[in-house]
Amino acid sequence: MIQKLKLANLPTRIIKAERLSQEWGVNLYIKRDDQTGSEISGNKIRKLEYLLKEAVDKNYDTIITTGGIQSNHCRATAAAATMLGMKSELLLRVNEPPKTEGNFFLDKLFGAGINFCTPDEYRESRDEIMRSMADKLDNKGRKCYVIPEGASNALGSLGYYSAMEEIAAQEKEMGVKFDVVVVAVGSGGTYSGLCTANKELNLNKRVIGFAVCDDREYFTARIDKINREAAEIMNLRSEMNPSDIEINDKYVGVGYAISRPEELDFIAKVSSAEALVLDPVYTGKAMFGLYNEIKEGNVPRGSNVLFIHTGGLFGLFPKQDQFEF
Ligand SMILES: *Cc1c(COP(=O)(O)O)cnc(C)c1O
């Protein structure tokens, strides 16, 4: 079995959203992966537990990774690196000089080295830029471990393979069987782990991934690649196929990290119904998608639905001025 570090507070709780269940006509359960920690909160730490284990074992002293300016992944990586006595260097995508707020503020508090790139550079050559950052630091005597966007590679996806095992154990304890598992998809590693475990362990669930950027074709190909590589490193029996993947791209909205008024109204509605705070970039869009798919009959009434709350709270505060009350 592939080993990992223990950094997150696991297992995370599963709660039932009573009022939304009533209103929507399904049994809506929430897995609180927003509570994996505070500094390291959210889904990325489950993936980082595997990647950072390799970094620790191989004596790396600096972690390099990349994401948007309000990246939860970069913030969690910076926090985890500091906890492990390592340094971190972040490559952050920006349009204009950023305000020091939300996750970016925390990156600085955790002492991360900050490097910027443009959206074009990010799209075309983020991995090459990180490699050259690593080479420069390695030449000065550091030993750099490079983690891809979202920690979404085969090793990282094991974090959500394990999370699905955790869910299966919680089902037994709770005496509930989840028919549908719902998660936001940004770089694909979270969905990949859930989907691979679902097949390998014969859990027979429908796993729906709501895209928050790009489209269905893009994510199906990207996740299929991670699934196959993960199946290989774990020596799984199952052969993974694109038909195992269900991505819904109808709720991307205006684009990555851009909110429509109806999405923000929806976040406010869920908060006031359940004291459950979604984030504008990922979970807000995914649950808005789930709500609409239930309304349209694409998720049957009476289903037991498990929504994975993947975190992102710190990204809400930079958007607070866009809310109307
Ligand atoms: C990164 C992230 C996701 C998406 O996970 P991926 O593995 O990148 O697809 C969902 N929710 C939050 C809050 C995230 O930070």
Side-chain angles (χ1 to χ4, degrees):
M1 210 177 73
I2 301 175
Q3 300 294 310
K4 67 181 189 81
L5 298 177
K6 283 190 180 164
L7 298 172
N9 292 327
L10 301 179
T12 55
R13 294 200 303 155
I14 294 178
I15 58 158
K16 187 166 183 199
E18 296 286 356
R19 283 148 300 271
L20 296 180
S21 293
Q22 280 278 333
E23 209 180 300
W24 298 359
V26 298
N27 297 307
L28 178 65
Y29 294 87
I30 315 288
K31 183 151 176 72
R32 301 301 302 268
D33 276 16
D34 56 323
Q35 297 178 344
T36 48
S38 45
E39 299 81 5
I40 56 170
S41 65
N43 61 334
K44 300 305 178 317
I45 194 62
R46 287 190 188 262
K47 308 192 240 180
L48 291 169
E49 285 188 330
Y50 283 91
L51 292 163
L52 294 175
K53 170 69 174 157
E54 178 172 79
V56 167
D57 285 351
K58 297 189 175 162
N59 295 312
Y60 287 92
D61 58 20
T62 303
I63 308 297
I64 299 181
T65 197
T66 190
I69 186 67
Q70 282 299 329
S71 167
N72 299 305
H73 163 66
C74 288
R75 179 260 310 151
T77 303
T82 298
M83 287 172 182
L84 295 168
M86 296 176 173
K87 295 196 178 313
S88 62
E89 289 287 333
L90 305 177
L91 177 65
L92 300 172
R93 178 186 62 221
V94 288
N95 278 313
E96 50 198 51
K99 272 171 72 181
T100 300
E101 59 185 1
N103 284 301
F104 180 49
F105 169 63
L106 290 169
D107 296 341
K108 291 187 173 178
L109 281 184
F110 298 139
I114 306 290
N115 310 264
F116 295 122
C117 68
T118 66
D120 284 344
E121 288 168 333
Y122 188 86
R123 194 175 341 99
E124 311 278 324
S125 53
R126 58 177 180 265
D127 291 333
E128 288 77 7
I129 299 172
M130 285 197 289
R131 195 59 253 162
S132 75
M133 285 163 59
D135 290 343
K136 269 194 209 131
L137 290 168
D138 286 351
N139 283 335
K140 291 185 189 158
R142 300 257 283 270
K143 200 165 175 236
C144 296
Y145 184 82
V146 178
I147 295 179
E149 176 192 61
S152 283
N153 57 16
L155 188 56
S157 81
L158 266 62
Y160 273 85
Y161 188 100
S162 317
M164 194 59 131
E165 293 177 319
E166 188 178 300
I167 291 165
Q170 287 174 308
E171 280 185 319
K172 291 210 181 87
E173 265 169 47
M174 297 168 71
V176 180
K177 196 153 166 46
F178 302 116
D179 307 303
V180 185
V181 175
V182 175
V183 73
V185 175
S187 62
T190 302
Y191 186 93
S192 167
L194 294 169
C195 161
T196 304
N198 186 46
K199 186 166 193 182
E200 178 73 6
L201 306 172
N202 288 313
L203 300 178
N204 295 310
K205 299 181 190 312
R206 179 176 173 198
V207 184
I208 309 176
F210 284 96
V212 302
C213 54
D214 297 290
D215 64 14
R216 186 168 165 269
E217 287 65 39
Y218 170 83
F219 277 121
T220 303
R222 186 165 175 175
I223 291 167
D224 186 54
K225 183 165 181 285
I226 305 171
N227 284 354
R228 288 167 191 272
E229 289 169 3
E232 195 172 311
I233 65 170
M234 283 189 280
N235 260 316
L236 301 184
R237 292 175 286 111
S238 314
E239 158 142 28
M240 301 305 294
N241 293 301
S243 60
D244 300 318
I245 300 166
E246 181 179 349
I247 299 296
N248 181 317
D249 61 5
K250 289 196 311 202
Y251 305 93
V252 173
V254 188
Y256 179 77
I258 310 173
S259 299
R260 294 179 291 168
E262 56 264 48
E263 294 165 14
L264 299 179
D265 287 350
F266 181 79
I267 289 172
K269 189 175 135 6
V270 170
S271 303
S272 64
E274 301 282 352
L276 182 74
V277 184
L278 302 171
D279 81 293
V281 183
Y282 297 95
T283 54
K285 288 187 182 186
M287 199 181 280
F288 185 63
L290 171 63
Y291 165 70
N292 282 288
E293 291 298 291
I294 292 169
K295 235 176 31 183
E296 285 175 25
N298 298 329
V299 174
R301 306 269 152 173
S303 304
N304 292 330
V305 178
L306 181 68
F307 181 90
I308 305 194
H309 189 154
T310 41
L313 180 62
F314 301 122
L316 183 62
F317 297 105
K319 299 245 182 195
Q320 65 188 24
D321 293 343
Q322 294 178 35
F323 279 78
E324 282 181 33
F325 296 100

